[in-house]
Structures are given as C-alpha cells and as structure tokens.
Amino acid sequence: MNVSRIALATGVAASSVLLLSGTAFAHVSVQPQGEAAKGGYATVNFKVPNERDNASTVKLEVNIPTEHPLSSVMPQPVPGWKVEVTKSKLAKPLQVHGKQITEAVSKVTWTADGSKIGPGQFQQFPLSLGKLPEDADQLVFKALQTYDNKEVVRWIEEAKEGAAEPESPAPVLKLSAATGDEHGGGAKDASAKDGKNAGHDEDTKSEEASDGSSDTTARILGIVGILVGVAGVAFGVLAGRRRTS
C-alpha cells in the first residue's frame, strides 16, 4: 500500500515538473535565420507561442532597443496580420554609409487582421535588422503579447548572470563575431560557390571517367559479340560437314 502511494506521489510530482517546464519554455523568443554578426545585417524570427487554452493571441508589440539604435528595420509581410512601424527621434544621430540618420525604428506592432494564434499554435514574425552594433554581444527586445480576452503578457524581464531565468523573459538575440562582410554571408557565399564549382568539376571528371569506362565496356562487348558470332558460324559449318559425311 505504501509502495503504491509512493509511486503515485512520484508520478504526480514528475507530471508537475513537466507541466511547469513546458510553461517556462513557452515564451516569446527571437532567433536569427543564419547568423547575426556584429556590424552586419540579419533576418530574425520572433516566435510567438500561444500559452492559453481558452484565448488566442491577436497582437504582438516588439520594442527595438534604444541603447543600440538600428538604422534599418524592415518587417516581412505575414498573411492575416497587419504591421505598424513606429519611429522615434535619436538623441545622437547615426552615421550610416555617409548619411546622417536622425530617427530610427523604436517599435514594431503586428495586429491580427483575419488571423490569430490559437491554443496549441505558434506564429513567426520576421524582421530584417541592421546595422547590428559592434560593441554589444546581444540585443534585448522587450515584447508585449495580447490575447483576445484583453490579457496582456509583458515579456520584458532581463535575465541576470548567475540567476534563474525570469518568469517573463524578454527575447534576446545573441550576436556573433564580426565577419568582415557587413551584409553577412559574403565569405560564405564565395566559399559555397567555390565548393559548388569544385563539386561541379568533380562531377564533370566523374562523368568523363564514366563515359570513358562506358566506351571501353561497349568495345569489349562488341568484340565478344563478334567472336561469339564467328564461333557460331564455324560450329554450323562443321556440323553441316558431319551430316554430309
């Protein structure tokens, strides 16, 4: 009896841990499509899961960090959602490609327009960002998630080193080391092209070798066929002579 109670209690505890873990990890997050290098440009996805069983997400507000203003912030259209880009004056103008930038995007808002994020679903909202700062290792984007029951979840808490993850953490974009190509992927593209050309050369050599091998095989088979034909004729002649004798 005691063993059964212990097993039941253990099962309940394990289930509670799993449920709490799922809730803790189901938060708004941001991930780059490829690499987000310092001083470059990147396309990122804000992933928004629906955490409620009885409500749907109908709005997402993402605040662009003002301590590291970005001169270029462009949203990719998402079917069923309308997007609004808000700009603000900069305390200190930016110099980008020889031009002075006096204002930058401070917030991007997606509002449901024929669509929504239902229970058990998630939606991704892509943004093109740049130039990424060269003097920071990460960017923190505070976000607000609104449900159709008017509930607002504020994903604005910043994680502290050595401390446990906050209950409502803000999305964090980790920045990698600068690549030397401010638009990102240049070296990779060149490497990919070289690799592709190398692969093409190898394929060409393989095809040539294959063609040569096929020609040799065809010739051998042709000679064998001729020999077999000659042997057949000779056999027929000998057989005829034997019958005549």
Side-chain angles (χ1 to χ4, degrees):
M1 187 67 175
N2 291 335
V3 175
S4 300
R5 289 179 179 177
I6 292 173
L8 178 60
T10 303
V12 171
S15 300
S16 300
V17 170
L18 289 175
L19 288 173
L20 291 174
S21 298
T23 302
F25 284 102
H27 53 70
V28 175
S29 60
V30 58
Q31 293 294 332
Q33 294 181 13
E35 188 176 15
K38 297 179 182 180
Y41 291 77
T43 298
V44 302
N45 284 323
F46 285 89
K47 182 179 179 181
V48 183
N50 192 88
E51 293 188 309
R52 303 294 179 260
D53 295 329
N54 57 353
S56 298
T57 298
V58 293
K59 187 178 182 180
L60 173 69
E61 300 171 67
V62 174
N63 291 281
I64 310 301
T66 55
E67 65 273 20
H68 296 291
L70 303 175
S71 60
S72 176
V73 177
M74 294 186 294
Q76 179 177 323
V78 178
W81 296 79
K82 62 181 181 180
V83 61
E84 180 183 357
V85 177
T86 303
K87 292 185 177 182
S88 300
K89 288 286 185 180
L90 296 176
K92 183 180 179 180
L94 296 176
Q95 292 291 333
V96 181
H97 302 304
K99 296 181 180 180
Q100 189 178 67
I101 307 298
T102 59
E103 62 177 13
V105 174
S106 56
K107 184 170 67 174
V108 180
T109 305
W110 288 271
T111 306
D113 185 22
S115 184
K116 60 184 177 180
I117 308 172
Q121 300 177 341
F122 76 93
Q123 176 66 54
Q124 295 192 103
F125 300 91
L127 277 183
S128 173
L129 306 175
K131 286 178 65 171
L132 299 175
E134 299 178 1
D135 58 348
D137 295 323
Q138 64 181 28
L139 289 177
V140 179
F141 299 87
K142 295 183 179 182
L144 302 181
Q145 181 180 9
T146 303
Y147 289 87
D148 56 9
N149 62 359
K150 307 303 180 183
E151 179 189 2
V152 178
V153 180
R154 301 169 62 84
W155 304 99
I156 61 174
E157 299 180 59
E158 297 187 38
K160 296 181 180 180
E161 188 175 355
E165 183 183 48
E167 292 185 4
S168 301
V172 177
L173 176 65
K174 300 291 185 180
L175 303 181
S176 59
T179 61
D181 177 14
E182 65 178 18
H183 288 284
K188 291 184 178 180
D189 291 342
S191 176
K193 289 179 180 178
D194 291 341
K196 184 177 180 181
N197 290 336
H200 177 70
D201 292 340
E202 291 298 326
D203 290 342
T204 301
K205 291 179 182 178
S206 298
E207 289 176 1
E208 291 176 351
S210 178
D211 291 341
S213 176
S214 297
D215 291 342
T216 302
T217 302
R219 290 174 182 173
I220 292 174
L221 290 176
I223 294 172
V224 170
I226 293 173
L227 293 176
V228 171
V230 171
V233 172
F235 180 79
V237 172
L238 290 175
R241 289 180 178 180
R242 287 177 181 176
R243 289 172 185 172
T244 301
S245 302

